[in-house]
Amino acid sequence: MRALDYAITLPEINSDQIGVYGHSRNGKQSAIFGAFDDRITSVILSATGVPVTVPWRISTPDFMSEQPVNIQNWFLPDVSCWFGYENRLPLDGHALIALIAPNPVLMTVGTQDGGENPWGVEHTLERLREDVFGGLYGMPLAR
């Protein structure tokens, strides 16, 4: 955010057209940045995986319980209380992407990526289409 604070003071930067891009964990950070900073007008997410472009509740059966062991510093310790109960999560990845709306978001995924399956991304898009764009904005989501 501080880098953006400085960048928009430069004459060659159009502060009305600021986009962010991130891959993997930096993609998760880009999603958060796009969701909570109104100066961001577009977001590109590359292989962000669970829990951004692929919901925890439909990832591999042990994915959530494996995550804090493998990458403990990515999530709050309390996430472990959801092990085995992912289907009861009150929110999932699509909620973060919904916060970026109505700004455009491009999500990319590798078809052979073990941590991010295309079916999961499709599920996220369906949730966005139904819950956010259909329900909240009353508009169709581009296919």
Side-chain angles (χ1 to χ4, degrees):
M1 287 186 171
R2 297 302 161 242
L4 182 57
D5 291 342
Y6 171 72
I8 62 176
T9 67
L10 301 173
E12 58 269 17
I13 301 295
N14 182 344
S15 62
D16 294 328
Q17 295 180 339
I18 303 290
V20 293
Y21 164 83
H23 176 77
S24 194
R25 186 168 73 177
N26 290 328
K28 291 172 176 64
Q29 293 168 340
S30 294
I32 292 168
F33 197 18
F36 295 106
D37 193 319
D38 292 335
R39 300 172 295 178
I40 304 300
T41 59
S42 61
V43 179
I44 300 174
L45 306 174
S46 170
T48 56
V50 177
V52 179
T53 55
V54 177
W56 254 326
R57 60 186 72 176
I58 63 159
S59 59
T60 60
D62 298 320
F63 197 84
M64 188 173 196
S65 59
E66 292 170 359
Q67 287 299 302
V69 173
N70 296 333
I71 47 177
Q72 294 177 3
N73 59 333
W74 286 21
F75 304 105
L76 295 172
D78 291 347
V79 78
S80 64
C81 72
W82 295 101
F83 292 175
Y85 302 99
E86 293 86 351
N87 63 322
R88 297 181 185 171
L89 282 164
L91 297 171
D92 216 327
H94 73 287
L96 177 60
I97 297 171
L99 291 174
I100 300 169
N103 291 331
V105 177
L106 172 65
M107 298 184 294
T108 64
V109 57
T111 58
Q112 303 298 315
D113 188 337
E116 180 177 50
N117 62 67
W119 181 79
V121 175
E122 185 176 328
H123 179 81
T124 295
L125 290 173
E126 286 303 316
R127 296 290 68 75
L128 287 168
R129 182 175 286 113
E130 293 173 12
D131 301 344
V132 179
F133 292 93
L136 183 60
Y137 290 105
M139 58 191 270
L141 179 65
R143 288 189 186 259

